[in-house]
Amino acid sequence: MTVPPHSAGEVVSPDTCTHLTGADHVASLAAALGSLNGQLDALDRWGRLIADVLCGESRGRLLAAGNGGSAAQAQHLTAELVGRYRADRPPFSAICLTAETSSLTAIANDYPADELFARQVEAHGRAGDVLVLLSTSGRSPNAVAAARRARECGITVLAMTGPAPNPLAAVADDAVCIDSPWTATVQECHLVALHLVCAAFDAAVLAEPARVPETRLGVAR
Ligand SMILES: O=C(CO)[C@@H](O)[C@H](O)[C@H](O)[C@H](O)COP(=O)(O)O
């Protein structure tokens, strides 16, 4: 596989990107999934932490955000929590900050670019909530600003990024970092990681039915 020149630990920029064959792409994914394999404990911990926040006394909330492909991944995560992952269980409060079109356009129009997620974090987040940020580079200023604002508000920040070290991972309370120079590969590993978090969340929730709020719809559809 040909990897274009880049600094160690950085995601390849579109300017330097060469063509990856299908076989290269699959090989890159397989190698990166290996690095995910070493972070399974962290993903399990995240699932249990999110269960503690969403099922706790104050019935906290999860916020999620990312740019581009990672925006879709953030929305995927919140859908798994509001809807369901595998098991039937009550819905939980999870908001994807990239899905709020009117807020996004108003903030982008009226405030500095770094406020795009940070302002929404301040609006929707409460102390004790959790914010999940996805960034393949770990360097997007709006994600780093959101992490900083969340920490100021007493919100726990979990970051999924590309190679460490990076500014987002440095600001977050905990980070899962995928060691691949390819944006697409990092995104693909993030999706697997999100599903592992959801599995750990479901396991934690279902292990203690007493603390799970009653669902009004008591049946799976
Ligand atoms: O999905 C892709 C490329 O696969 C792009 O849209 C990508 O998400 C965008 O370039 C993002 O702006 C990258 O931001 P980040 O992941 O570095 O925070």
Side-chain angles (χ1 to χ4, degrees), residues 102-128:
S102 295
S103 294
L104 285 172
T105 53
I107 295 166
N109 206 30
D110 299 343
Y111 294 94
D114 290 4
E115 281 296 302
L116 194 68
F117 303 139
R119 191 170 173 85
Q120 293 188 76
V121 164
E122 193 172 334
H124 297 301
R126 301 289 177 267

Side-chain angles (χ1 to χ4, degrees), residues 47-63 77-78 81-82 89-95 128-130 201 205 211-213:
R48 285 185 275 111
L49 183 150
I50 293 168
D52 285 345
V53 171
L54 303 192
C55 297
E57 287 279 298
S58 57
R59 297 273 179 261
R61 170 174 289 158
L62 179 142
L63 305 174
L77 172 62
T78 56
L81 295 168
V82 176
R89 46 141 177 79
F92 291 93
S93 181
I95 298 176
D129 286 351
V130 61
F201 172 83
V205 165
R211 68 176 185 163
V212 178

Side-chain angles (χ1 to χ4, degrees), residues 11 14 66-71 117 134-143 160-162 168 182-187 190:
V11 171
N67 292 296
S70 299
F117 303 139
L134 297 105
S135 171
T136 57
S137 63
R139 295 170 195 284
S140 292
N142 57 9
M160 282 192 189
T161 74
L168 181 58
W182 305 108
T183 300
T185 302
V186 174
Q187 289 171 339
H190 282 176

Side-chain angles (χ1 to χ4, degrees), residues 176-193:
V176 165
C177 305
I178 304 300
D179 191 15
S180 171
W182 305 108
T183 300
T185 302
V186 174
Q187 289 171 339
E188 286 156 10
C189 290
H190 282 176
L191 179 57
V192 175

